[in-house]
Each structure stands twice: as structure tokens, then as C-alpha cells.
């Protein structure tokens, strides 16, 4: 069981990054700066979730 706790955070991080990239690119195509900002925020959230998962996996 060791190290599995961090994998859920890493998966959530990957989903957030994909969602953020989609929003960022859609906002860019539409010229919607609000959507781009939301996308960048989601990508940052995903990076943080991934880092938390890495830390949890190292502790085990």
C-alpha cells in the first residue's frame, strides 16, 4: 500500500492540467481573456496537485 496515497493527487493534477490547457487554448482561439486566465489557474492547480502527490509518494 505504500505510496498509493499520492497517486490520486497526481491523477487529479493531470485532469486539472488537461482541463486548464483546453480552457486556455479555447480562450485564446475565441479571444476570451477570462477563459484564458481560468485555464492558467487550472493548470497551476494541476501542477500543485501533482507536486503534493509526489511529496506523499516520497514520504512512504
Amino acid at each position: 500500500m505504500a505510496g498509493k496515497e499520492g497517486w490520486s493527487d497526481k491523477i487529479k493534477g493531470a485532469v486539472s492540467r488537461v482541463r486548464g490547457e483546453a480552457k486556455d487554448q479555447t480562450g485564446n482561439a475565441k479571444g476570451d481573456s477570462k477563459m484564458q486566465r481560468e485555464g492558467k489557474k487550472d493548470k497551476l492547480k494541476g501542477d500543485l496537485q501533482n507536486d503534493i502527490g509526489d511529496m506523499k509518494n516520497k514520504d512512504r
Side-chain angles (χ1 to χ4, degrees):
M1 270 289 199
K4 289 190 177 187
E5 293 82 11
W7 288 111
S8 65
D9 291 305
K10 292 181 74 62
I11 291 168
K12 289 176 190 175
V15 170
S16 292
R17 281 207 44 85
V18 169
R19 182 184 311 124
E21 185 63 30
K23 282 184 184 178
D24 189 11
Q25 292 300 320
T26 302
N28 188 33
K30 288 183 166 184
D32 186 343
S33 60
K34 181 182 177 194
M35 186 178 275
Q36 281 183 293
R37 282 192 305 273
E38 289 175 3
K40 291 180 190 316
K41 185 177 100 176
D42 285 346
K43 288 192 285 187
L44 179 60
K45 177 182 173 183
D47 288 340
L48 293 173
Q49 287 171 318
N50 188 54
D51 290 345
I52 288 170
D54 284 341
M55 286 190 301
K56 285 182 179 179
N57 286 339
K58 281 185 181 180
D59 289 344
R60 299 289 168 191

